[in-house]
Amino acid sequence: MITSFEGINIYTEDTAALAAFYSEVLGISVLFEGYGNFDGAKIGFNVNQPGIMIWDANKWNKLTTGVVNLVFSCSNLDDTYEMLKARGLDCNPPVTMEYGGKEMNFNDPDGNNITLLQGAYVE
C-alpha cells in the first residue's frame, strides 16, 4: 500500500554542482548528503517532507526518463526574481497568468525545468 510521497529523483553527471545550484542560487537547503562524495543528496525544506533526491548518474546507472518540472512556491515572486538575478541566474521576469497567479520559469544546469509560483493553482 502506498502511504506517502517521498520526492523526486534527478540523475546528473555532477551531483555536487547540481546540489550547489539548488542550495546556493535558489536557497533551498541540502537536507542530507548521503553515501559519500555526493553520490546522492536530498534538498528540500524539511527532512520529514518530500524533497528532491539528486543522484550520480554514472554510479547509479540511471537516467531521467521524461520531462521533469519542479514547482516551488514563493510569497513574493518579484523579490525572489531580483534575488536570483543578483545571484547570477539568467531568467525572464515573472508573468501574471490567466488564473491570476504569477509564474517564472527557468532551467537548472542539467536542463530540468523549474517553475516558481506566487498564488495557488487552485484555491
Side-chain angles (χ1 to χ4, degrees), residues 20 76 96 102:
N76 186 316
T96 301
K102 282 187 175 179

Side-chain angles (χ1 to χ4, degrees), residues 40-63:
K42 179 178 181 179
I43 63 167
F45 302 97
N46 181 314
V47 71
N48 297 317
Q49 294 178 344
I52 300 168
M53 280 63 74
I54 301 171
W55 300 104
D56 183 333
N58 295 312
K59 178 173 182 169
W60 300 106
N61 197 25
K62 301 277 184 174
L63 297 174

Side-chain angles (χ1 to χ4, degrees), residues 90-112:
D90 183 21
C91 58
N92 292 322
V95 296
T96 301
M97 305 303 288
E98 284 184 38
Y99 65 88
K102 282 187 175 179
E103 289 186 12
M104 184 175 101
N105 291 280
F106 54 93
N107 291 333
D108 73 15
D110 281 2
N112 299 300

Side-chain angles (χ1 to χ4, degrees), residues 18-91:
L18 195 59
F21 170 79
Y22 282 95
S23 64
E24 295 169 15
V25 176
L26 298 186
I28 301 170
S29 298
V30 175
L31 300 174
F32 71 80
E33 183 277 308
Y35 309 109
N37 299 318
F38 268 96
D39 289 345
K42 179 178 181 179
I43 63 167
F45 302 97
N46 181 314
V47 71
N48 297 317
Q49 294 178 344
I52 300 168
M53 280 63 74
I54 301 171
W55 300 104
D56 183 333
N58 295 312
K59 178 173 182 169
W60 300 106
N61 197 25
K62 301 277 184 174
L63 297 174
T64 302
T65 58
V67 176
V68 174
N69 177 239
L70 308 171
V71 180
F72 299 101
S73 295
C74 295
S75 58
N76 186 316
L77 193 49
D78 293 322
D79 287 350
T80 301
Y81 167 70
E82 293 300 329
M83 178 194 65
L84 294 175
K85 268 187 18 181
R87 292 180 181 172
L89 184 66
D90 183 21
C91 58

